[in-house]
Amino acid sequence: SHPTFHRELWEGVRSLPFEARPEPVDFETWKSFDYHLLGEDLVESDREPDQPDVWSGHLMAAGIAGERVPADLRRPCVPVTPEDRALADRWLRERGIRTDAFHRPDRPLVLWQLAASSPVRSYRPDLTRAALARLCRELPGAAVAVTGRDADLGTYRLPEADNLWCAMGLPIRAVFALLDVAACTVAPDSCLGHAAGGLRRPCVSLWGSFLPGDRAGTYAEHRPLTGRTACSPCRHHETSALAAGCPRVATGEAQVPCCEALAQITPESIVDAVKEIVQCLRK
């Protein structure tokens, strides 16, 4: 794995089902391995209309027939250590949310990822703000934690609410620990949606440029919401650091070129899906 990813995801994690080594691997070590599988662009550059879900695609690239691996095992490995859980507990307690011996909060926790790495897979900022405001108003007894990249806060201005907190700045594995005890996670086609799939936790996932089956077809706990337009699914996935977003949306200083199809998902439908999950867990 990339050195930065290695430190954030795998460093200090014991009992992994594989060995994670930071790049670069010296050539002699590389030659000593029996097999090599290059994962770069296996997903990001795939725009095939008949593409399988991401995990089945990786198995196919490795020469393994998908049906040989049960669908429930086609999930990411999500590392969470006791130290990560302790950090998440402390973050919750600092906001007046008590946790029990199993790290469960004393009220329903909803974790919301603001945006994906590209606007073409992100829910529009104004709609996100409306959905968060409605969620906090209709679930006053819940705690809503928003996470993502620090840069997103400038675009995704959070509404004022007593039960809404920003979890920016927490290490990613501590965020995974929050996700693992959350009643529900809301995420675009991005990191926390896959983490929810790996941890088998409920997730309302948002889709437009890709379809749920392209990415999360093996995550039985996902409640996917899909927006539809004439151009969806375009399967447009930008790999540049300067992501321009949806090519159909006119750009301007005050406009983020988010996916038009995603914008067809109403804030009301997201909140209703979250409420249904939270209320089912309460029964």
mmCIF file of all heavy atoms in Angstrom, residues 5-22:
data_model
loop_
_atom_site.group_PDB
_atom_site.id
_atom_site.type_symbol
_atom_site.label_atom_id
_atom_site.label_comp_id
_atom_site.label_asym_id
_atom_site.label_seq_id
_atom_site.Cartn_x
_atom_site.Cartn_y
_atom_site.Cartn_z
ATOM 1 N N PHE A 5 -1.300 5.736 3.180
ATOM 2 C CA PHE A 5 -2.417 4.849 3.460
ATOM 3 C C PHE A 5 -2.007 3.769 4.457
ATOM 4 O O PHE A 5 -2.790 3.369 5.326
ATOM 5 C CB PHE A 5 -2.928 4.196 2.174
ATOM 6 C CG PHE A 5 -3.449 5.164 1.162
ATOM 7 C CD1 PHE A 5 -3.446 4.843 -0.187
ATOM 8 C CD2 PHE A 5 -3.944 6.396 1.544
ATOM 9 C CE1 PHE A 5 -3.928 5.731 -1.136
ATOM 10 C CE2 PHE A 5 -4.433 7.301 0.606
ATOM 11 C CZ PHE A 5 -4.421 6.957 -0.734
ATOM 12 N N HIS A 6 -0.782 3.286 4.318
ATOM 13 C CA HIS A 6 -0.309 2.248 5.222
ATOM 14 C C HIS A 6 -0.341 2.738 6.661
ATOM 15 O O HIS A 6 -0.812 2.045 7.565
ATOM 16 C CB HIS A 6 1.112 1.818 4.837
ATOM 17 C CG HIS A 6 1.666 0.721 5.699
ATOM 18 N ND1 HIS A 6 2.327 0.970 6.880
ATOM 19 C CD2 HIS A 6 1.625 -0.630 5.566
ATOM 20 C CE1 HIS A 6 2.685 -0.167 7.429
ATOM 21 N NE2 HIS A 6 2.278 -1.154 6.652
ATOM 22 N N ARG A 7 0.149 3.952 6.880
ATOM 23 C CA ARG A 7 0.170 4.482 8.246
ATOM 24 C C ARG A 7 -1.244 4.682 8.780
ATOM 25 O O ARG A 7 -1.533 4.350 9.927
ATOM 26 C CB ARG A 7 0.940 5.808 8.280
ATOM 27 C CG ARG A 7 2.454 5.655 8.183
ATOM 28 C CD ARG A 7 3.152 6.956 8.494
ATOM 29 N NE ARG A 7 2.807 8.016 7.544
ATOM 30 C CZ ARG A 7 3.463 8.205 6.405
ATOM 31 N NH1 ARG A 7 4.481 7.419 6.069
ATOM 32 N NH2 ARG A 7 3.107 9.192 5.590
ATOM 33 N N GLU A 8 -2.139 5.216 7.956
ATOM 34 C CA GLU A 8 -3.479 5.536 8.424
ATOM 35 C C GLU A 8 -4.359 4.299 8.597
ATOM 36 O O GLU A 8 -5.216 4.264 9.473
ATOM 37 C CB GLU A 8 -4.152 6.512 7.456
ATOM 38 C CG GLU A 8 -3.487 7.888 7.447
ATOM 39 C CD GLU A 8 -4.204 8.851 6.517
ATOM 40 O OE1 GLU A 8 -5.206 8.442 5.885
ATOM 41 O OE2 GLU A 8 -3.774 10.012 6.438
ATOM 42 N N LEU A 9 -4.154 3.291 7.755
ATOM 43 C CA LEU A 9 -5.041 2.135 7.776
ATOM 44 C C LEU A 9 -4.468 0.932 8.518
ATOM 45 O O LEU A 9 -5.185 0.265 9.271
ATOM 46 C CB LEU A 9 -5.391 1.715 6.348
ATOM 47 C CG LEU A 9 -6.312 2.648 5.570
ATOM 48 C CD1 LEU A 9 -6.497 2.128 4.157
ATOM 49 C CD2 LEU A 9 -7.657 2.778 6.263
ATOM 50 N N TRP A 10 -3.186 0.631 8.311
ATOM 51 C CA TRP A 10 -2.688 -0.663 8.747
ATOM 52 C C TRP A 10 -1.637 -0.603 9.854
ATOM 53 O O TRP A 10 -1.426 -1.602 10.544
ATOM 54 C CB TRP A 10 -2.073 -1.433 7.564
ATOM 55 C CG TRP A 10 -2.907 -1.403 6.325
ATOM 56 C CD1 TRP A 10 -2.553 -0.898 5.119
ATOM 57 C CD2 TRP A 10 -4.245 -1.902 6.171
ATOM 58 N NE1 TRP A 10 -3.583 -1.052 4.222
ATOM 59 C CE2 TRP A 10 -4.623 -1.667 4.835
ATOM 60 C CE3 TRP A 10 -5.134 -2.531 7.041
ATOM 61 C CZ2 TRP A 10 -5.872 -2.034 4.359
ATOM 62 C CZ3 TRP A 10 -6.375 -2.885 6.551
ATOM 63 C CH2 TRP A 10 -6.727 -2.648 5.234
ATOM 64 N N GLU A 11 -0.968 0.524 10.019
ATOM 65 C CA GLU A 11 0.136 0.580 10.976
ATOM 66 C C GLU A 11 -0.366 0.287 12.392
ATOM 67 O O GLU A 11 -1.317 0.900 12.881
ATOM 68 C CB GLU A 11 0.794 1.966 10.931
ATOM 69 C CG GLU A 11 2.154 1.999 11.603
ATOM 70 C CD GLU A 11 2.890 3.296 11.293
ATOM 71 O OE1 GLU A 11 2.405 4.362 11.715
ATOM 72 O OE2 GLU A 11 3.934 3.240 10.615
ATOM 73 N N GLY A 12 0.267 -0.665 13.053
ATOM 74 C CA GLY A 12 -0.093 -1.021 14.418
ATOM 75 C C GLY A 12 -1.274 -1.955 14.544
ATOM 76 O O GLY A 12 -1.665 -2.307 15.657
ATOM 77 N N VAL A 13 -1.862 -2.366 13.419
ATOM 78 C CA VAL A 13 -3.010 -3.274 13.459
ATOM 79 C C VAL A 13 -2.500 -4.709 13.459
ATOM 80 O O VAL A 13 -1.760 -5.117 12.574
ATOM 81 C CB VAL A 13 -3.943 -3.053 12.253
ATOM 82 C CG1 VAL A 13 -5.140 -3.995 12.344
ATOM 83 C CG2 VAL A 13 -4.408 -1.612 12.198
ATOM 84 N N ARG A 14 -2.902 -5.464 14.470
ATOM 85 C CA ARG A 14 -2.480 -6.865 14.575
ATOM 86 C C ARG A 14 -3.604 -7.783 14.068
ATOM 87 O O ARG A 14 -4.726 -7.376 13.923
ATOM 88 C CB ARG A 14 -2.127 -7.199 16.019
ATOM 89 C CG ARG A 14 -0.987 -6.327 16.562
ATOM 90 C CD ARG A 14 -0.817 -6.496 18.065
ATOM 91 N NE ARG A 14 0.212 -5.604 18.581
ATOM 92 C CZ ARG A 14 0.008 -4.332 18.882
ATOM 93 N NH1 ARG A 14 -1.183 -3.798 18.723
ATOM 94 N NH2 ARG A 14 0.979 -3.564 19.348
ATOM 95 N N SER A 15 -3.264 -9.004 13.832
ATOM 96 C CA SER A 15 -4.197 -10.066 13.411
ATOM 97 C C SER A 15 -4.936 -9.736 12.115
ATOM 98 O O SER A 15 -6.096 -10.088 11.942
ATOM 99 C CB SER A 15 -5.216 -10.372 14.520
ATOM 100 O OG SER A 15 -6.113 -9.284 14.731
ATOM 101 N N LEU A 16 -4.265 -9.045 11.202
ATOM 102 C CA LEU A 16 -4.844 -8.858 9.876
ATOM 103 C C LEU A 16 -4.826 -10.181 9.114
ATOM 104 O O LEU A 16 -3.934 -11.001 9.327
ATOM 105 C CB LEU A 16 -4.038 -7.824 9.078
ATOM 106 C CG LEU A 16 -4.200 -6.353 9.447
ATOM 107 C CD1 LEU A 16 -3.189 -5.507 8.689
ATOM 108 C CD2 LEU A 16 -5.614 -5.879 9.153
ATOM 109 N N PRO A 17 -5.780 -10.403 8.205
ATOM 110 C CA PRO A 17 -5.753 -11.642 7.412
ATOM 111 C C PRO A 17 -4.751 -11.575 6.263
ATOM 112 O O PRO A 17 -4.758 -12.437 5.396
ATOM 113 C CB PRO A 17 -7.195 -11.737 6.893
ATOM 114 C CG PRO A 17 -7.655 -10.325 6.827
ATOM 115 C CD PRO A 17 -6.992 -9.618 7.982
ATOM 116 N N PHE A 18 -3.917 -10.566 6.249
ATOM 117 C CA PHE A 18 -2.892 -10.417 5.218
ATOM 118 C C PHE A 18 -1.772 -9.572 5.818
ATOM 119 O O PHE A 18 -1.902 -9.012 6.903
ATOM 120 C CB PHE A 18 -3.456 -9.736 3.967
ATOM 121 C CG PHE A 18 -4.136 -8.432 4.260
ATOM 122 C CD1 PHE A 18 -3.422 -7.247 4.353
ATOM 123 C CD2 PHE A 18 -5.513 -8.377 4.470
ATOM 124 C CE1 PHE A 18 -4.037 -6.048 4.633
ATOM 125 C CE2 PHE A 18 -6.144 -7.180 4.758
ATOM 126 C CZ PHE A 18 -5.410 -6.018 4.838
ATOM 127 N N GLU A 19 -0.668 -9.500 5.101
ATOM 128 C CA GLU A 19 0.443 -8.664 5.536
ATOM 129 C C GLU A 19 0.483 -7.402 4.685
ATOM 130 O O GLU A 19 0.532 -7.474 3.458
ATOM 131 C CB GLU A 19 1.777 -9.415 5.393
ATOM 132 C CG GLU A 19 2.976 -8.588 5.861
ATOM 133 C CD GLU A 19 4.288 -9.337 5.671
ATOM 134 O OE1 GLU A 19 4.240 -10.532 5.278
ATOM 135 O OE2 GLU A 19 5.354 -8.732 5.899
ATOM 136 N N ALA A 20 0.399 -6.250 5.323
ATOM 137 C CA ALA A 20 0.438 -4.967 4.611
ATOM 138 C C ALA A 20 1.824 -4.368 4.749
ATOM 139 O O ALA A 20 2.333 -4.205 5.850
ATOM 140 C CB ALA A 20 -0.613 -4.020 5.182
ATOM 141 N N ARG A 21 2.429 -4.054 3.623
ATOM 142 C CA ARG A 21 3.763 -3.454 3.624
ATOM 143 C C ARG A 21 3.713 -2.119 2.894
ATOM 144 O O ARG A 21 3.114 -2.019 1.827
ATOM 145 C CB ARG A 21 4.776 -4.358 2.918
ATOM 146 C CG ARG A 21 4.889 -5.739 3.503
ATOM 147 C CD ARG A 21 5.992 -6.512 2.795
ATOM 148 N NE ARG A 21 6.066 -7.891 3.229
ATOM 149 C CZ ARG A 21 7.010 -8.737 2.840
ATOM 150 N NH1 ARG A 21 7.945 -8.332 1.992
ATOM 151 N NH2 ARG A 21 7.021 -9.980 3.274
ATOM 152 N N PRO A 22 4.342 -1.097 3.443
ATOM 153 C CA PRO A 22 4.350 0.196 2.738
ATOM 154 C C PRO A 22 5.245 0.152 1.511
ATOM 155 O O PRO A 22 6.224 -0.590 1.461
ATOM 156 C CB PRO A 22 4.905 1.160 3.784
ATOM 157 C CG PRO A 22 5.745 0.296 4.681
ATOM 158 C CD PRO A 22 5.066 -1.048 4.723
#
